[in-house]
Amino acid sequence: MKKTKASVRTEVLDKYGRPVDLKEEGMDVQVEAYRIGGGFDLDIKIKKEPPKKHDRPIVLKATGLSIQFGGLKAVDGLDLEIREGELYGLIGPNGAGKTTVFNMLTGIYKPTFGRFFLCGKDLTGKTPLEINREGIARTFQNIRLFNSLTVLENVMVGLNNQVPCTVWSSMFRLPRHMKSEKIARERAHEILRIMGLDEYSDYLAQNLPYGKQRKLEIARALATNPKLLLLDEPAAGMNPNETQELMDTIRFVREKFKVTILLIEHDMKLVSGICENLTVLNFGQILASGDTHEVLNRPEVVKAYLGD
Amino acid sequence: MNKTGLNKVFKNYINYLIIVAIMLVTIPLYFGGILNDSSFVTPNMLTQMAFTIILVMSLNMVVGFLGELSLGHAGFMYVGAYVGGILCCYLYKSGLVVQSTHRLIICMLIGGLAAAIFGFIIGLPALRLRGDYLAIVTLAFGEIVRGILKNTKIDPAEGPLAGLIKNPATGFSLNSSKGKFDGDLFIFAFIVAIVVLFCIQNLMKSKHGRAIQAIKDNEIAARTMGVNITYYKLITFTIAAFFAGVAGALFANYSVVSYAQFSYNYSIEILVMVVLGGMGSLTGSIISSVLLVFINTKLQAVLTGDLASLKYLVYALILIFMMILHSAPKLAGLREKLNWGYVSGKIKGIFGKKTKNVSIVETEVSSNEEN
């Protein structure tokens, strides 16, 4: 029988029908198609298996994280496991304790029980400063920029710990100061360029439009060179177009800066669009946890959001 | 939004320019004999302006840049004046340092260090307290220092310090037989003011200054961005106290170091100058200290006796006027004209008229600014 080579266009879809880029998943597949008589024959060779998700190292691990304010258990027994390069969502109705989780992970609150680890290192009870130096940075639900500083200076504050320079050398403009200022300024400009904010670098932070302020918060957090980036409702108050742009930005940031991202969000479009895994909190407890689309379809999650 | 290079250069050097301009005007007049103790502006007034500039700039570090209210700045100055003054007398009488400029420099450094130690101690509660509570602590500090120094009698019968402090309550004063600075104090004081300005301005434009301003703007955000709040609060209080001590040592060579001088009212007076000049603005600090010292001295000549306290009424009126000027909606047009961008645009406009080409470029620049 005659066997001729044919060209085909292949597209891989996941079980929800979304297109998947195999290269992004770390897979290499070669597909060859042949025309045999009236039919086709496909020869699929998997050259490189994808790295299994649970093979990637764990960046953040939390075990039984709990906090109690008086008689109120704001967060009760939270377990999290976030792997390198993951985009992880933390959702839940208002008052579920999501932001409290962030406050514990950044050291603003001390957990009553439980521990959390960044890359295997126990950070429970550390100060915000130490936690930031270990590599956790965050943005805030209600934007907290340094309003009397310019956009550039905001990012440079994030870079502070990476450009060593004493008070004395700054006071007398010694070469050390000039050098570290130059490095900081260049890196800040670079981060702003990547985030598309460079043209605003001389503006005061408070004069930026809302969406740009959110972006600047992300830029400032990235300047501290984090391993894990916590985004607290990045899409709050944004219109659908801005949300779409934000989704692209978040994906882009993850690739470009090689960070793992944990985000709190109410916008389900954004969550289902970019998060790979989810944890749903309700009244401080885990309601569901796992693959985004599977979790979002669970009846108890739907009930928690929409009521009976 | 000013983005032009000229503006940036102006903004960096305008503070130095103001002080240098004052010196350039007054020093030739002084040596020409026109500016003397009975003239409209006296050397004494200029000395007072110079150390007030130092004092106000240093308080601005705490109030304007760090955003913590401090009501005990006169206390730091008192420590500096006390230690610096006694040291001046000691160094002179014991013959350790003969040259009076060297002596004053040493006294300023040691007086500053003594004040800085107290600044550090005050900085410690500042880590736990904020706002009104910290203000009360600093207020108490000023009064405690005053109380202690008022009742401390250091008057050995013999030795270099003999006869310096006869009555601790009225304090002491230096004179030429007790190691007082024998040169032209106001020139020296202005040079010190320039050095202090150099230090503070550089510090505030560095990563440390940005961290300090970040703490003022949003402490929680600053903490999570890796700013060491403890370190920066302590260092700001310590450095501010150091410069207040330097101003104090200058003061010891200018007038009587008495407990009445460094009262709570004086701290408030300094604070008024900071607020009037603008929180976090060194240019404003310099202008307001020069202006208020001038007004103060002139008022003192007019308002004698019981009327002296009327000067606070004048301060209040000035402050109210500034507030109206700063935020009244109806004066928006006027503010626009007082804006530095507008003024510098005009200055450039004047220079730009020399050749046709330049003037075209300049008008483009200034029209951009208005957008």
Side-chain angles (χ1 to χ4, degrees):
Chain A
M1 199 175 277
K2 207 180 164 193
K3 191 174 174 183
T4 51
K5 213 171 179 182
S7 68
V8 286
R9 194 177 69 86
T10 54
E11 193 176 39
V12 184
L13 303 176
D14 68 3
K15 59 180 172 177
Y16 305 105
R18 295 175 300 185
V20 177
D21 184 1
L22 291 177
K23 269 194 192 133
E24 211 173 75
E25 301 289 319
M27 224 175 143
D28 195 0
V29 180
Q30 196 181 31
V31 182
E32 279 178 5
Y34 301 98
R35 197 187 287 275
I36 306 172
F40 288 99
D41 185 19
L42 285 180
D43 187 5
I44 301 173
K45 278 183 199 151
I46 296 177
K47 285 187 163 176
K48 200 171 136 201
E49 289 275 346
K52 285 197 180 115
K53 276 246 160 93
H54 50 266
D55 283 351
R56 284 193 261 164
I58 296 173
V59 171
L60 181 80
K61 187 181 171 68
T63 51
L65 214 54
S66 313
I67 190 164
Q68 209 165 339
F69 300 114
L72 175 78
K73 281 185 173 172
V75 177
D76 189 10
L78 176 79
D79 295 318
L80 275 178
E81 211 175 87
I82 303 175
R83 290 174 185 277
E84 196 179 277
E86 208 173 348
L87 246 163
Y88 200 99
L90 186 62
I91 64 167
N94 286 331
K98 306 179 296 290
T99 300
T100 311
V101 172
F102 271 25
N103 283 341
M104 281 193 281
L105 292 178
T106 47
I108 295 172
Y109 294 157
K110 304 255 177 288
T112 322
F113 302 108
R115 317 201 74 80
F116 67 96
F117 306 84
L118 184 77
C119 300
K121 194 166 178 184
D122 190 354
L123 295 183
T124 324
K126 291 266 167 59
T127 63
L129 175 70
E130 288 166 323
I131 289 176
N132 180 268
R133 286 191 180 162
E134 291 295 336
I136 299 182
R138 72 173 287 185
T139 65
F140 295 88
Q141 186 178 353
N142 44 344
I143 300 177
R144 290 170 183 266
L145 287 168
F146 307 132
N147 282 332
S148 61
L149 298 178
T150 65
V151 169
L152 184 72
E153 286 169 332
N154 264 275
V155 178
M156 285 168 87
V157 170
L159 288 165
N160 259 5
N161 285 330
Q162 292 155 60
V163 281
C165 160
T166 61
V167 168
W168 304 117
S169 52
S170 290
M171 219 183 230
F172 301 105
R173 291 174 84 82
L174 301 180
R176 186 66 180 271
H177 162 81
M178 304 307 251
K179 199 179 149 201
S180 77
E181 281 290 287
K182 189 163 167 268
I183 294 171
R185 188 166 295 118
E186 278 167 6
R187 287 199 51 190
H189 272 301
E190 194 187 322
I191 292 170
L192 286 175
R193 223 177 353 259
I194 292 171
M195 297 297 291
L197 290 169
D198 203 27
E199 56 183 308
Y200 303 101
S201 58
D202 282 343
Y203 280 54
L204 283 182
Q206 61 188 0
N207 295 341
L208 281 186
Y210 188 80
K212 299 263 187 306
Q213 289 196 357
R214 287 233 172 258
K215 266 191 165 180
L216 176 58
E217 266 212 324
I218 299 177
R220 186 182 66 180
L222 286 169
T224 64
N225 197 14
K227 294 185 185 107
L228 176 69
L229 182 62
L230 311 178
L231 303 177
D232 197 344
E233 297 204 22
M238 285 190 175
N239 64 34
N241 284 341
E242 284 174 323
T243 308
Q244 186 58 45
E245 195 193 319
L246 181 78
M247 278 162 74
D248 298 337
T249 309
I250 292 174
R251 278 204 205 94
F252 174 72
V253 159
R254 175 174 65 159
E255 302 303 322
K256 185 81 190 175
F257 292 89
K258 302 267 178 285
V259 286
T260 310
I261 296 174
L262 169 61
L263 66 89
I264 292 175
E265 191 47 74
H266 277 303
D267 189 325
M268 282 306 139
K269 195 169 148 255
L270 185 132
V271 172
S272 58
I274 60 174
C275 292
E276 287 138 12
N277 287 303
L278 269 188
T279 288
V280 187
L281 280 183
N282 196 17
F283 298 113
Q285 288 177 322
I286 293 184
L287 191 65
S289 195
D291 181 89
T292 303
H293 290 263
E294 190 244 328
V295 165
L296 284 182
N297 289 321
R298 283 195 204 170
E300 67 265 30
V301 175
V302 176
K303 192 178 148 194
Y305 265 93
L306 300 176
D308 289 310
Chain B
M1 191 59 53
N2 296 316
K3 284 182 178 175
T4 47
L6 194 61
N7 262 321
K8 274 190 177 167
V9 174
F10 260 127
K11 274 191 175 160
N12 278 339
Y13 295 105
I14 185 78
N15 299 336
Y16 300 106
L17 280 177
I18 295 171
I19 299 183
V20 170
I22 294 173
M23 290 173 77
L24 283 181
V25 172
T26 54
I27 293 172
L29 289 176
Y30 176 69
F31 285 116
I34 301 169
L35 198 153
N36 54 41
D37 285 339
S38 55
S39 61
F40 186 62
V41 175
T42 62
N44 266 350
M45 190 203 281
L46 290 169
T47 314
Q48 213 183 332
M49 280 177 187
F51 70 70
T52 311
I53 288 173
I54 299 172
L55 210 54
V56 173
M57 284 194 303
S58 66
L59 184 63
N60 208 342
M61 280 180 73
V62 177
V63 178
F65 289 97
L66 184 66
E68 296 287 11
L69 189 55
S70 168
L71 297 176
H73 216 58
F76 298 123
M77 190 188 181
Y78 196 6
V79 172
Y82 202 82
V83 173
I86 288 174
L87 190 69
C88 247
C89 182
Y90 178 78
L91 290 178
Y92 176 75
K93 287 211 176 167
S94 64
L96 283 172
V97 183
V98 181
Q99 228 274 346
S100 92
T101 314
H102 294 173
R103 195 164 56 230
L104 184 49
I105 290 173
I106 293 170
C107 291
M108 281 186 332
L109 290 177
I110 304 289
L113 277 179
I117 292 169
F118 282 96
F120 181 80
I121 296 168
I122 283 298
L124 290 175
L127 303 173
R128 295 186 168 275
L129 302 171
R130 70 181 55 128
D132 309 345
Y133 305 102
L134 180 65
I136 291 167
V137 170
T138 53
L139 173 66
F141 162 78
E143 291 303 308
I144 290 168
V145 164
R146 233 157 67 85
I148 292 173
L149 295 185
K150 177 188 170 187
N151 294 302
T152 309
K153 192 169 192 292
I154 309 172
D155 195 19
E158 45 192 281
L161 291 179
L164 181 64
I165 308 171
K166 285 176 188 131
N167 180 2
T170 52
F172 65 90
S173 67
L174 300 176
N175 54 36
S176 51
S177 69
K178 286 173 186 161
K180 191 177 180 177
F181 184 71
D182 57 13
D184 303 307
L185 188 61
F186 84 91
I187 300 173
F188 183 83
F190 270 116
I191 292 168
V192 176
I194 289 177
V195 174
V196 174
L197 170 65
F198 177 80
C199 293
I200 296 182
Q201 183 166 320
N202 285 342
L203 190 65
M204 287 308 150
K205 281 189 192 283
S206 72
K207 72 169 222 179
H208 308 291
R210 288 192 293 273
I212 290 167
Q213 279 164 283
I215 295 171
K216 175 191 71 181
D217 281 350
N218 202 312
E219 193 170 323
I220 290 178
R223 260 157 76 195
T224 46
M225 288 306 127
V227 172
N228 192 340
I229 308 258
T230 316
Y231 176 77
Y232 281 116
K233 279 192 175 175
L234 271 182
I235 206 103
T236 313
F237 266 92
T238 312
I239 293 174
F242 177 84
F243 289 131
V246 168
L250 282 173
F251 182 88
N253 280 275
Y254 159 78
S255 177
V256 187
V257 182
S258 71
Y259 93 105
Q261 167 69 30
F262 300 98
S263 67
Y264 167 68
N265 284 339
Y266 194 52
S267 291
I268 296 292
E269 224 170 286
I270 305 164
L271 189 65
V272 166
M273 292 182 200
V274 171
V275 175
L276 186 66
M279 304 272 199
S281 161
L282 292 177
T283 316
S285 291
I286 295 168
I287 294 173
S288 74
S289 13
V290 169
L291 211 68
L292 282 192
V293 167
F294 178 78
I295 292 172
N296 196 1
T297 330
K298 286 293 155 199
L299 279 180
Q300 256 168 14
V302 182
L303 305 171
T304 48
D306 287 345
L307 289 176
S309 48
L310 274 178
K311 76 175 181 188
Y312 295 109
L313 188 68
V314 178
Y315 280 8
L317 289 175
I318 293 172
L319 273 177
I320 293 170
F321 171 73
M322 284 305 288
M323 271 187 281
I324 292 172
L325 188 67
H326 184 261
S327 45
K330 284 188 178 167
L331 296 177
L334 182 65
R335 278 200 293 279
E336 187 69 23
K337 286 194 175 175
L338 292 171
N339 193 337
W340 173 242
Y342 181 87
V343 176
S344 72
K346 285 277 173 201
I347 294 169
K348 275 185 289 177
I350 294 163
F351 290 122
K353 275 172 191 161
K354 282 175 189 167
T355 62
K356 215 175 181 182
N357 284 341
V358 173
S359 80
I360 291 167
V361 172
E362 295 299 337
T363 44
E364 274 172 7
V365 169
S366 48
S367 66
N368 278 342
E369 277 164 14
E370 279 154 24
N371 294 334

